[in-house]
């Protein structure tokens, strides 16, 4: 089967590119003939527009010269929805099955609070898809507001499990955040949390690895006199990210909206003590008190208490981290993910 996959540029920052980059060179390519078409890149609006237009030309040419048996689209909400519309409509008009793999995290803004005209447009476009892929049971339920539930498949994100030892040079008092800086990820709650935690644990350090609203986030820390306690290494990849996952004792991810965050899965794979929020697919990954701690978004007091419980006893985050890693190994490895994806492909091909 020839699969055309619509993906972001490999260098794009974020969870979708992390998912797709794991497909490249994987067993998926031995099972299917995969053509990747990159439709998005980071940069100015003109860079993004040119990338999208170029991808449309490449796709149209592919339809004429090497027609795919199935089109797998990685999409989100907002502008991503509109960028992916042409791929969906062109494929559906040629009766090519479309698997729309939805990574979005703010469904209320995208659909529930949308105008009736926009809702009809979303329903029409999603209705052209053969299968919709949700990252969690919660998101499958939300997407069922748009299309029948029997056309929705659940495919959780995955993590690559590092070999032993996975926790070399662990610094018990170092807290790590990975992600885009902004309100959605809870970044403006972190300074208040750190201020509380430092009253009991004055030597604690925080690594804010990512980018986005960097200057505004830095100011939020400086306003509380915390500048010396926070390191900003920028967006990290590869060996630098691996080093931070190995050496940091605690992973802190106070997000307000999520699908199934790759950052939490990576922290699980590296056996970290995790404090995060009960949004999106995270409760499928973290069971409160068993392999991490769950709090409500914005609950600064609960987040502080969870972090303090991990900081006061070195054995506690180790035990929770071990349980998190075991769950990641058993349920969220790449091979298991690819097997499920293959089943979705076969189902979509049969349903065409």
């Amino acid at each position: 089967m020839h699969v055309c996959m619509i993906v972001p540029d490999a260098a794009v920052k974020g969870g979708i590119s992390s998912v797709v980059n794991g497909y490249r060179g994987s067993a998926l390519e031995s099972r299917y003939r995969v053509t990747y078409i990159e439709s998005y890149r980071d940069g100015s609006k003109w860079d993004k527009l040119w990338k999208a237009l170029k991808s449309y030309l490449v796709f149209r040419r592919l339809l004429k010269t090497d027609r795919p048996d199935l089109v797998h689209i990685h999409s989100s909400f907002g502008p991503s929805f509109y960028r992916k519309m042409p791929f969906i409509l062109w494929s559906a008009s040629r009766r090519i099955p479309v698997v729309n793999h939805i990574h979005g995290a703010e469904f209320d803004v995208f659909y529930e609070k949308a105008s009736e005209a926009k809702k009809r447009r979303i329903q029409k476009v999603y209705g052209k898809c053969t299968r919709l892929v949700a990252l969690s049971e919660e998101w499958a339920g939300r997407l069922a507001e748009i299309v029948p539930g029997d056309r929705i498949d659940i495919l959780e994100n995955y993590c690559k499990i590092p070999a032993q030892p996975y926790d070399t040079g662990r610094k018990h008092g170092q807290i790590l955040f990975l992600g885009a800086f902004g309100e959605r990820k809870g970044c403006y709650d972190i300074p208040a949390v750190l201020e509380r935690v430092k009253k009991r644990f004055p030597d604690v350090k925080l690594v804010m690895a990512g980018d986005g609203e960097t200057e505004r986030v830095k100011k939020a820390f400086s306003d509380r006199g915390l500048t010396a306690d926070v390191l900003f290494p920028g967006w990290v990849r590869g060996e630098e990210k691996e080093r931070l996952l190995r050496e940091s004792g605690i992973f802190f991810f106070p997000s307000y909206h999520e699908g199934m965050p790759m950052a939490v899965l990576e922290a699980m794979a590296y056996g970290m003590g995790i404090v995060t929020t009960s949004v999106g697919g995270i409760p499928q990954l973290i069971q409160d008190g068993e392999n991490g701690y769950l709090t409500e978004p914005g609950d600064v007091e609960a987040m502080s208490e969870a972090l303090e419980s991990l900081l006061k006893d070195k054995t506690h985050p180790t035990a929770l981290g071990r349980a998190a890693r075991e769950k990641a190994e058993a349920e969220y490895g790449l091979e298991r993910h690819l097997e499920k994806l293959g089943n979705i492909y076969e189902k979509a091909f049969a349903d065409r």
Side-chain angles (χ1 to χ4, degrees):
M1 182 189 297
H2 179 200
V3 175
C4 175
M5 195 178 298
I6 311 300
V7 302
D9 184 286
V12 165
K13 302 165 184 174
I16 299 179
S17 58
S18 295
V19 170
V20 172
N21 288 345
Y23 294 165
R24 300 177 192 266
S26 74
L28 183 72
E29 295 177 355
S30 64
R31 298 172 192 167
Y32 303 95
R33 183 163 65 91
V34 183
T35 299
Y36 299 97
I37 295 180
E38 297 176 349
S39 66
Y40 177 81
R41 58 161 295 178
D42 290 329
S44 71
K45 63 179 181 180
W46 301 112
D47 291 332
K48 294 172 183 178
L49 177 61
W50 171 244
K51 188 73 169 180
L53 293 175
K54 184 177 179 181
S55 71
Y56 298 151
L57 293 173
V58 172
F59 185 69
R60 295 281 288 184
R61 189 180 308 120
L62 186 73
L63 292 176
K64 295 177 180 179
T65 61
D66 190 12
R67 175 188 169 103
D69 300 300
L70 181 143
V71 175
H72 179 180
I73 296 172
H74 291 270
S75 70
S76 186
F77 301 145
S80 175
F81 169 77
Y82 295 99
R83 282 196 304 271
K84 305 304 165 54
M85 275 180 55
F87 298 111
I88 294 170
L89 298 177
W90 287 331
S91 300
S93 69
R94 290 160 176 77
R95 302 182 64 82
I96 300 173
V98 175
V99 173
N100 191 354
H101 195 155
I102 299 171
H103 300 259
E106 293 184 277
F107 186 75
D108 54 344
V109 176
F110 172 67
Y111 184 78
E112 292 175 343
K113 296 179 181 178
S115 67
E116 290 304 314
K118 183 178 178 181
K119 284 183 177 179
R120 287 193 295 272
R121 188 181 307 117
I122 294 168
Q123 291 166 359
K124 179 179 179 180
V125 173
Y126 278 12
K128 299 285 186 182
C129 301
T130 316
R131 311 293 305 176
L132 267 63
V133 176
L135 302 185
S136 67
E137 293 177 5
E138 183 204 12
W139 281 104
R142 292 193 174 197
L143 291 173
E145 297 179 29
I146 306 176
V147 300
D150 60 3
R151 289 172 54 194
I152 302 170
D153 297 290
I154 297 172
L155 180 65
E156 301 90 348
N157 284 338
Y158 64 88
C159 54
K160 293 184 178 180
I161 310 296
Q164 298 275 12
Y166 56 83
D167 55 352
T168 50
R170 192 77 90 195
K171 300 174 182 177
H172 178 65
Q174 180 168 299
I175 300 170
L176 174 65
F177 169 89
L178 291 171
F181 295 163
E183 292 183 5
R184 184 169 77 84
K185 298 292 185 180
C187 291
Y188 299 105
D189 294 326
I190 298 177
V193 172
L194 183 62
E195 185 177 47
R196 281 173 171 254
V197 169
K198 282 190 70 65
K199 290 177 181 178
R200 288 190 61 190
F201 301 93
D203 295 330
V204 71
K205 299 295 182 184
L206 172 67
V207 179
M208 293 288 292
D211 66 8
E213 298 172 8
T214 305
E215 294 307 313
R216 186 179 166 200
V217 170
K218 284 183 176 180
K219 185 177 185 303
F221 283 104
S222 66
D223 287 347
R224 294 177 181 268
L226 298 170
T227 303
D229 305 299
V230 187
L231 177 67
F232 288 87
W235 193 273
V236 294
R237 289 189 174 97
E239 291 182 1
E240 188 177 5
K241 180 196 280 189
E242 181 180 349
R243 177 183 62 78
L244 289 172
L245 289 164
R246 288 183 184 278
E247 74 174 25
S248 302
I250 297 170
F251 185 74
F252 184 33
F253 195 73
S255 187
Y256 280 76
H257 300 281
E258 289 296 331
M260 180 162 283
M262 292 291 284
V264 173
L265 281 162
E266 288 170 334
M268 292 173 66
Y270 279 85
M272 299 180 71
I274 297 170
V275 176
T276 184
T277 49
S278 56
V279 298
I282 294 178
Q284 286 182 231
L285 304 175
I286 303 297
Q287 286 69 54
D288 189 45
E290 296 181 17
N291 64 345
Y293 284 115
L294 291 177
T295 66
E296 292 302 310
D299 192 340
V300 169
E301 183 177 354
M303 294 172 189
S304 303
E305 290 175 355
L307 289 171
E308 289 168 7
S309 72
L310 294 176
L311 288 164
K312 70 183 179 182
D313 180 0
K314 291 184 178 181
T315 65
H316 191 34
T318 300
L320 292 180
R322 187 180 301 115
R325 178 180 163 93
E326 289 173 356
K327 185 177 181 67
E329 283 185 294
E331 301 180 27
Y332 297 102
L334 176 59
E335 191 56 42
R336 182 183 175 92
H337 174 95
L338 294 179
E339 182 180 345
K340 289 183 178 181
L341 179 59
N343 291 338
I344 293 170
Y345 284 176
E346 300 302 328
K347 192 186 300 184
F349 194 66
D351 289 347
R352 70 193 187 282

